[in-house]
Amino acid sequence: MIIILKPAASESEIAMLRGELAGRGLAVQEIQGESTFMLGLAGDTSMLSEDSFMRHEFVERVMKVSEPYKLAGRRFHPQDSVYDVAGRRIGGGAFCVMAGPCSVETEEQVLSIARDVKNSGADFLRGGAFKPRSSPYSFQGLGLDGLELLKIAREKTGLPIVTEIMSQEHADVFRAEVDIIQVGARNMQNFPLLKDVGRLGRPVLLKRGLSSTIDEMLMAADYILTSGSSPVILCERGIRTFETATRNTLDLSAIPVIKKKSHLPVIVDPSHGTGYWDLVFPMSLAAVAAGADGLMIEVHNQPANALCDGQQSITPFLFDRLMRKIERLHDAMADN
Ligand code: PEP
Ligand code: MN
């Protein structure tokens, strides 16, 4: 529900209304339009009648929001969200690239890849310490030791780090140590985890669930946004379809669809989205052309020996070529 106030509404009237709404357990977001001031209500508004608010003389109009998500939606926040994370701009026409190995394996491995992707112009180092593997017999990641190696790589290269959280028990460590906390596809609807991560006040990269609709992803974003002040970045990483030629079907139409529905930045992961290293290059360019705010790319210095996802990892050499191409494409698009 959105309450549109008359231009003459005073500070004290607005404060009184905010108090009334808070008393009903609703989260309130202020929306400053070009000529109007509105309050967006998130929470259970099903029992509220428009009439009860229209009784206030300073209320102009009340609108029910039909979308199942609110804070992630454009109605609540018409302008694009733009974040500054460790000095890197995300959204608002900037293009950010997160690159690195699927899993952190050794200090030499992560440092070598971090240096290479930094030299090629990556903005963030990605690397899994806690790995959500489909098989319990596969390499599960180095856990907290892996996080220590990411911290060393950050210190040596200056690249901020993005890594996946899998359990609430690590919330405090992630809040203290991680620049962008990734919630993986398998946890997109782990609602207790989303709420806990939302309370950390740190940027969150929310990946689309394996078989989730765009609306479900935006509702998952609302779980994070209603729990605190964590900025949310969305990530399209492919979905399950009947097609087996690729690991997932990378849904690039999700980018303009999300941009219509939501103000949150959207990045694309062509590595998990396709499952094959030779598809990463063309699909990265396609993501730029479709209006993505950035990319997450798996890069490995020895893909054939990678402990996880080597078949979809590109080499630092190819990553460098890709970065040059992305820069040119992004610039060409900005000219229009
Ligand atoms: C990852 O980015 O390492 C990962 C496991 O991705 P997803 O959750 O999209 O499968
Ligand atoms: Mn991976």
Side-chain angles (χ1 to χ4, degrees):
M1 186 176 270
I2 292 178
I3 303 178
I4 302 162
L5 303 176
K6 289 186 177 158
S10 69
E11 300 262 318
S12 61
E13 286 168 327
I14 296 170
M16 188 265 289
L17 181 56
R18 288 188 71 108
E20 182 186 329
L21 297 167
R24 294 176 187 245
L26 298 166
V28 180
Q29 173 113 343
E30 294 187 357
I31 310 165
Q32 184 65 63
E34 291 218 335
S35 56
T36 45
F37 182 68
M38 303 172 265
L39 296 179
L41 316 187
D44 184 5
T45 55
S46 56
M47 301 299 283
L48 297 181
S49 78
E50 282 103 320
D51 185 55
S52 64
F53 296 113
M54 288 304 292
R55 284 168 197 272
H56 294 304
E57 212 193 302
F58 56 93
V59 171
E60 173 88 44
R61 202 150 48 94
V62 179
M63 269 164 44
K64 283 260 188 202
V65 176
S66 52
E67 290 93 1
Y69 48 84
K70 295 183 171 40
L71 295 189
R74 275 225 186 258
R75 269 187 221 271
F76 267 58
H77 194 296
Q79 303 84 8
D80 284 346
S81 279
V82 185
Y83 310 132
D84 179 315
V85 180
R88 274 80 175 160
R89 227 160 87 94
I90 303 183
F95 196 80
C96 90
V97 177
M98 308 174 183
C102 178
S103 302
V104 176
E105 298 169 10
T106 64
E107 183 170 334
E108 297 70 51
Q109 174 244 19
V110 74
L111 259 180
S112 158
I113 298 170
R115 287 193 170 117
D116 283 341
V117 298
K118 158 104 194 253
N119 288 338
S120 297
D123 304 285
F124 291 86
L125 172 66
R126 67 139 287 149
F130 296 90
K131 292 305 305 176
R133 303 306 300 278
S134 300
S135 165
Y137 310 112
S138 301
F139 174 60
Q140 303 286 311
L142 298 180
L144 290 174
D145 292 340
L147 188 51
E148 288 305 312
L149 298 183
L150 283 170
K151 284 164 57 187
I152 293 173
R154 173 173 58 195
E155 191 172 320
K156 299 232 156 122
T157 62
L159 282 183
I161 54 178
V162 186
T163 193
E164 177 167 353
I165 189 166
M166 284 180 51
S167 157
Q168 280 96 327
E169 74 179 288
H170 298 125
D172 287 339
V173 186
F174 272 64
R175 173 176 30 211
E177 313 286 7
V178 175
D179 299 287
I180 298 184
I181 302 175
Q182 178 172 327
V183 174
R186 289 155 193 82
N187 276 316
M188 192 206 81
Q189 288 187 313
N190 180 342
F191 302 118
L193 182 65
L194 297 178
K195 288 187 201 168
D196 280 350
V197 164
R199 281 192 276 269
L200 299 180
R202 307 285 301 161
V204 178
L205 178 70
L206 178 66
K207 297 191 86 174
R208 182 172 179 182
L210 305 176
S211 302
S212 297
T213 64
I214 291 168
D215 276 7
E216 284 165 345
M217 174 156 61
L218 296 175
M219 286 187 269
D222 262 24
Y223 267 95
I224 300 171
L225 294 167
T226 53
S227 303
S229 55
S230 301
V232 175
I233 304 147
L234 303 172
C235 180
E236 162 59 40
R237 47 77 71 206
I239 44 174
R240 284 243 166 119
T241 67
F242 54 80
E243 181 56 71
T244 53
T246 46
R247 178 179 181 180
N248 291 293
T249 297
L250 185 61
D251 178 12
L252 290 181
S253 62
I255 304 164
V257 172
I258 292 171
K259 292 262 166 218
K260 249 196 284 183
K261 289 171 173 262
S262 173
H263 54 93
L264 300 174
V266 191
I267 71 160
V268 169
D269 170 354
S271 309
H272 293 89
T274 63
Y276 295 101
W277 69 268
D278 56 333
L279 300 182
V280 169
F281 202 103
M283 295 317 282
S284 296
L285 300 183
V288 179
D293 296 298
L295 289 164
M296 169 174 263
I297 299 178
E298 287 189 337
V299 178
H300 201 287
N301 51 353
Q302 294 177 27
N305 298 325
L307 294 182
C308 181
D309 285 351
Q311 79 291 346
Q312 65 189 35
S313 300
I314 60 173
T315 58
F317 176 77
L318 190 55
F319 178 72
D320 192 66
R321 276 185 47 206
L322 176 59
M323 288 296 282
R324 303 288 78 79
K325 198 86 168 189
I326 288 170
E327 274 163 23
R328 280 164 45 208
L329 180 55
H330 191 250
D331 286 353
M333 290 189 48
D335 285 345
N336 294 322

